[in-house]
């Protein structure tokens, strides 16, 4: 018994040391990415002849809405002039920022606290992303996954008061736990993802696929499917895991009903921001013709095609759970408009899984991609600071 206990202690110590090494390497990559951000902010201030704090340069667009929610709560009716209402934005991120702000000294503004929360979520996402890769490919270091999360184009949203970083963190945790067949913590991660962004509700379908794979592999047949469904209702824990995934979004719907009298208020208010083409193919068609709702319509549509291509590639690699989540999460946005689709795609962990799989074992191509990512990210930071956000938004 003593020998068994000693072996367990040695394994725990080895695990702690490995996690410490991984975290240290991920932290270095994270710091380098924020050094790039700071350098570009300095370059912009020099070129513009200004002296604007970096956190103020990041404070634009949706960040203003989240700060308003943290400080003033949700409004019950839309603005009579613009038709906008802040209940279009989901609540968990503002809740966390508000709690964090209450714990920190008063000298920190809400925007600064939001940036802190987002950066912490990004760091955790990078660490768990590396762990997810190493769990699947023991021969890989997995650090390229953290690099993509910190440096890939459109990841500038992970540095500011936006929900992208928190949503990415929860979805990475979901896929990591599912890969370990730990479905209860995966379901809890899905719950918080759905409480952060509406796309998180689709993780329940990925959970079902992971459960099915755990029982039957990818051998689909009517007998297997019927037995799988039967086992769900015979196993209370499994049914509980499935049901808690969408509870985050349903809880917010109930709150909206009490606030506005409309369960679907967050969806209905979206028409105040952009057009609705009422279909994915129609959205892509009209935006590719550059007749969409903004100056970047063609860019958004091409990025959507890129994202869909990545998810189809995941299907080819038989990573159906990630592919389904990617397609459903991006599809819900494309049903209305292509606006901002680039950040939705790069805020979806399924995209990073596809990129990692695609570039795995291709060292030369990977080095080229890394250099391009650094250059493009730097340019996007500069464009954001300068207010030229057409391709970024």
């Amino acid at each position: 018994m003593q020998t068994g206990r000693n072996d367990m202690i040695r394994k725990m110590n080895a695990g702690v040391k490995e996690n410490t090494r991984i975290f240290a390497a991920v932290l270095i990559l994270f710091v380098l990415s924020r050094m790039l951000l700071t350098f570009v902010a300095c370059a912009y201030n020099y070129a513009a002849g200004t002296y604007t704090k970096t956190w103020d340069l990041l404070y634009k667009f949706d960040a203003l809405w989240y700060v308003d929610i943290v400080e003033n709560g949700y409004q019950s009716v839309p603005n009579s002039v613009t038709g906008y209402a802040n209940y279009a934005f989901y609540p968990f991120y503002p809740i966390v920022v508000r709690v964090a702000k209450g714990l920190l000294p008063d000298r920190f503004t809400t925007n600064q606290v939001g940036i802190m929360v987002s950066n912490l979520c990004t760091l955790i996402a990078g660490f768990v992303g590396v762990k997810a890769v190493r769990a699947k490919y023991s021969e890989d270091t997995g650090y390229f996954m953290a690099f993509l999360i910190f440096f890939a184009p459109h990841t500038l949203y992970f540095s500011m008061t936006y929900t992208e970083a928190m949503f990415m963190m929860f979805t990475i945790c979901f896929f990591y736990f599912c890969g370990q067949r730990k479905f209860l913590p995966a379901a809890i991660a899905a719950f918080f993802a759905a409480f952060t962004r509406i796309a998180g509700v689709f993780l329940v379908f990925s959970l079902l696929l992971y459960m099915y794979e755990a029982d039957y592999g990818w051998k689909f047949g009517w007998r297997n499917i019927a037995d799988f469904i039967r086992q769900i209702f015979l196993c209370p824990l499994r049914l509980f895991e499935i049901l808690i995934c969408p509870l985050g979004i349903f809880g917010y719907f109930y709150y909206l009903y009490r606030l506005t009298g409309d369960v679907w208020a967050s969806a209905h208010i979206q028409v105040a921001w952009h057009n609705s083409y009422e279909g994915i193919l129609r959205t892509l068609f009209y935006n590719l013709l550059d007749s969409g709702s903004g100056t970047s319509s063609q860019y958004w549509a091409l990025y959507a095609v890129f994202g869909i291509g990545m998810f189809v590639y995941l299907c080819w690699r038989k990573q159906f759970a990630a592919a389904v989540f990617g397609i459903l999460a991006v599809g819900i946005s494309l049903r209305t408009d292509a606006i901002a689709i680039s950040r939705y795609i790069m805020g979806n962990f399924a995209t990073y899984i596809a990129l990692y799989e695609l570039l795995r074992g291709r060292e030369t191509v990977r080095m080229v991609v890394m250099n391009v990512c650094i250059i493009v990210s730097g340019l996007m930071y500069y464009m954001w600071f300068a207010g030229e956000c057409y391709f970024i938004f």
Side-chain angles (χ1 to χ4, degrees):
M1 183 177 293
Q2 185 65 33
T3 302
R5 184 179 299 173
N6 291 337
D7 289 340
M8 184 175 66
I9 293 174
R10 279 195 293 269
K11 287 180 180 179
M12 290 178 60
N13 290 336
V16 170
K17 290 180 180 178
E18 181 187 10
N19 287 333
T20 302
R21 287 195 297 268
I22 294 172
F23 183 79
V26 170
L27 181 61
I28 290 172
L29 284 172
F30 175 79
V31 171
L32 289 173
S33 70
R34 273 42 191 174
M35 287 176 65
L36 173 65
L37 166 63
T38 304
F39 173 79
V40 175
C42 292
Y44 167 76
N45 275 319
Y46 178 80
T50 58
Y51 185 71
T52 307
K53 299 291 193 298
T54 304
W55 51 79
D56 291 327
L57 290 172
L58 293 169
Y59 186 45
K60 295 179 181 179
F61 302 115
D62 288 0
L64 280 70
W65 286 99
Y66 286 113
V67 167
D68 175 61
I69 294 169
V70 172
E71 295 179 347
N72 304 308
Y74 284 105
Q75 61 194 98
S76 59
V77 294
N79 184 285
S80 59
V81 178
T82 63
Y84 298 161
N86 60 9
Y87 52 72
F89 301 91
Y90 281 66
F92 190 66
Y93 178 76
I95 290 172
V96 173
V97 174
R98 188 166 186 169
V99 171
K101 191 173 189 298
L103 297 174
L104 292 171
D106 292 339
R107 65 174 178 272
F108 291 107
T109 66
T110 304
N111 180 52
Q112 289 172 337
V113 176
I115 289 173
M116 292 179 196
V117 170
S118 292
N119 278 277
L120 178 60
C121 290
T122 303
L123 179 60
I124 295 172
F127 173 75
V128 180
V130 172
K131 292 284 291 181
V133 170
R134 291 164 73 102
K136 184 174 183 180
Y137 301 111
S138 57
E139 67 275 17
D140 287 11
T141 62
Y143 296 130
F144 182 61
M145 179 63 79
F147 175 88
L148 289 174
I149 293 169
F150 298 154
F151 285 98
H154 297 283
T155 57
L156 76 166
Y157 291 95
F158 297 167
S159 306
M160 58 184 79
T161 308
Y162 272 64
T163 59
E164 268 70 13
M166 179 172 285
F167 183 72
M168 173 67 77
M169 178 188 69
F170 285 131
T171 52
I172 290 178
C173 289
F174 169 83
F175 282 104
Y176 171 70
F177 287 126
C178 281
Q180 304 294 307
R181 297 187 177 181
K182 298 177 180 178
F183 296 128
L184 181 57
I188 294 172
F191 167 88
F192 287 112
F195 207 15
T196 305
R197 294 186 71 105
I198 188 172
V201 74
F202 297 119
L203 288 171
V204 68
F205 299 106
S206 297
L207 181 66
L208 286 167
L209 286 170
Y210 271 116
M211 288 177 171
Y212 185 91
E213 182 192 17
D215 292 344
Y216 305 100
W218 294 122
K219 298 177 182 179
F220 291 101
W222 289 115
R223 180 176 295 179
N224 288 349
I225 294 173
D227 185 61
F228 175 70
I229 295 173
R230 184 173 62 86
Q231 290 299 324
I232 289 175
F233 291 99
L234 291 177
C235 180
L237 178 60
R238 177 164 287 192
L239 182 61
F240 175 74
E241 291 164 347
I242 294 169
L243 291 177
I244 66 172
C245 287
L247 278 183
I249 195 171
F250 291 156
Y252 184 52
F253 286 169
Y254 176 72
Y255 170 79
L256 288 178
Y257 176 74
R258 296 294 300 271
L259 180 70
T260 68
D262 181 8
V263 172
W264 305 104
S266 62
H268 293 157
I269 200 63
Q270 295 296 328
V271 296
W273 271 271
H274 48 71
N275 299 325
S276 177
Y277 298 101
E278 298 180 351
I280 295 174
L281 294 179
R282 288 171 62 88
T283 299
L284 291 176
F285 176 75
Y286 284 111
N287 281 274
L288 282 171
L289 289 180
D290 200 21
S291 58
S293 63
T295 55
S296 306
S297 294
Q298 289 176 320
Y299 176 78
W300 292 330
L302 290 172
Y303 220 101
V305 172
F306 159 76
I308 293 170
M310 290 292 98
F311 306 144
V312 171
Y313 173 72
L314 285 175
C315 289
W316 181 71
R317 293 298 301 252
K318 294 185 177 181
Q319 298 208 32
F320 300 114
V324 165
F325 173 65
I327 292 170
L328 291 175
V330 171
I332 193 174
S333 300
L334 287 176
R335 275 189 55 81
T336 53
D337 201 353
I339 187 171
I341 197 67
S342 50
R343 68 180 171 101
Y344 296 152
I345 290 172
M346 296 312 297
N348 190 311
F349 187 55
T351 304
Y352 294 83
I353 296 174
L355 288 171
Y356 191 91
E357 292 284 350
L358 186 64
L359 298 173
R360 185 172 179 266
R362 296 178 171 90
E363 293 300 327
T364 302
V365 179
R366 183 183 291 190
M367 289 301 299
V368 172
V369 168
M370 291 173 68
N371 284 282
V372 170
C373 283
I374 293 171
I375 294 170
V376 172
S377 291
L379 289 173
M380 285 187 168
Y381 277 124
Y382 192 93
M383 292 172 66
W384 182 271
F385 298 153
E388 299 172 359
C389 310
Y390 307 119
F391 294 100
I392 305 173
F393 188 75

